[in-house]
Amino acid sequence: MLTVSSVNVNGLRAAAKKGFTEWFAATSADVVACQEVRAEPDVLAAELREPEGWHTIHAPCATKGRNGVSLYSRIEPDSVRVGFGEAEFEDSGRYVEMWLPGVVVASLYLPSGDVGTPRQDEKERFMAGFLPYLGGLRDKAAADGREVLVCGDWNIGHTELDIKNWKANRKNAGFLPEERAWLSRVFDELGYVDVQRRLDPEGPGPYTWWSYRGKAFDNDAGWRIDYQVATPGLAQRCTSFVVERAESYDKRWSDHAPVTATYDV
């Protein structure tokens, strides 16, 4: 069995002070993928930088205090890769992968965007470059006898089932028609599978992100933007998928919840 957890930590040092360290120490996951780490490895506490019993790769952003993705694995990787070949994003702290026996696991932090600003242009450039990379990764991994699992904050709600207040967000970044169509291409053209939605096709939710504003968390007015996206062979072997939603608002250590899946490999 292979258990994989993925979470946007919204600043790893801040999350560690609120409960991430305890969550990490207690997890039974074999692989943990983190996004929005927002810290250089040398400023992380030892138990986060290189925890005992884990193989770790950190991919910080060249701009300090922004982005950042990490992977922790109890299984020794055959190789690791930072970035996906697009020069603009090589040092952006948005993508890292580990080649493990039988599977490539990646941590992805796709740009959030902001309609009418350069941030949305950046998101569109990222998506344009990342789509063909996903296709090539699928083929390269298959030729090597491996499945692919891309975990992370994709910053797109795919369907109306994935956002509580979808009607009010149709013109906002994260739920734009063109963004949703791009994610459909990942599934329909490239053949990847939304693992959670495969097990729970009805919805709505379960959501993985809630704004800190107002009563979003208490009212479960969230977005499902954190995905585990797998090649079909691996997706079919998923036996459980859980959103580790905090028991209450005051027990949250991030505005996202970990998403944890177990695969019968």
Side-chain angles (χ1 to χ4, degrees), residues 27-259:
T27 186
S28 60
D30 302 291
V31 179
V32 174
C34 295
Q35 304 87 43
E36 207 171 351
V37 173
R38 299 208 305 258
E40 297 281 337
D42 59 2
V43 303
L44 296 173
E47 64 267 23
L48 299 176
R49 183 176 63 253
E50 294 182 352
E52 186 176 354
W54 295 83
H55 303 273
T56 306
I57 177 71
H58 299 288
C61 181
T63 303
K64 289 187 177 182
R66 296 196 58 199
N67 308 339
V69 287
S70 299
L71 279 169
Y72 301 89
S73 173
R74 300 185 197 268
I75 307 160
E76 184 175 3
D78 297 322
S79 63
V80 299
R81 172 172 180 158
V82 174
F84 57 97
E86 292 287 324
E88 177 182 1
F89 300 108
E90 285 303 274
D91 299 320
S92 65
R94 292 196 177 275
Y95 184 79
V96 63
E97 67 189 32
M98 280 185 174
W99 286 62
L100 303 174
V103 62
V104 183
V105 180
S107 182
L108 167 70
Y109 180 40
L110 197 142
S112 57
D114 186 9
V115 174
T117 75
R119 291 181 59 201
Q120 191 66 27
D121 298 334
E122 176 193 25
K123 185 174 187 177
E124 291 174 1
R125 291 194 301 273
F126 188 101
M127 293 190 298
F130 193 54
L131 190 73
Y133 179 79
L134 283 173
L137 177 62
R138 173 203 61 201
D139 296 343
K140 184 179 177 181
D144 201 39
R146 305 180 204 239
E147 301 285 349
V148 177
L149 179 62
V150 181
C151 305
D153 181 354
W154 289 68
N155 264 315
I156 300 171
H158 186 218
T159 75
E160 295 168 6
L161 298 176
D162 299 317
I163 301 181
K164 181 69 171 287
N165 298 318
W166 64 268
K167 289 184 179 179
N169 282 288
R170 286 176 290 186
K171 296 183 180 180
N172 291 333
F175 200 60
L176 297 174
E178 56 268 32
E179 295 173 337
R180 297 165 61 196
W182 178 86
L183 197 50
S184 290
R185 293 183 65 189
V186 173
F187 302 137
D188 299 339
E189 291 184 21
L190 301 184
Y192 283 89
V193 178
D194 178 347
V195 175
Q196 182 175 352
R197 193 54 80 209
R198 176 182 174 273
L199 292 181
D200 181 17
E202 300 300 323
Y207 307 120
T208 65
W209 174 81
W210 304 263
S211 172
Y212 277 128
R213 297 178 181 177
K215 296 286 186 178
F217 183 80
D218 295 334
N219 296 332
D220 199 24
W223 294 51
R224 190 179 77 96
I225 53 177
D226 301 272
Y227 299 88
Q228 293 200 19
V229 173
T231 44
L234 184 63
Q236 291 170 7
R237 298 201 293 273
C238 182
T239 59
S240 70
F241 198 110
V242 178
V243 177
E244 298 185 43
R245 190 181 192 272
E247 295 178 3
S248 59
Y249 184 96
D250 61 315
K251 293 185 178 180
R252 305 170 73 190
W253 40 262
S254 172
D255 49 354
H256 295 251
V259 292

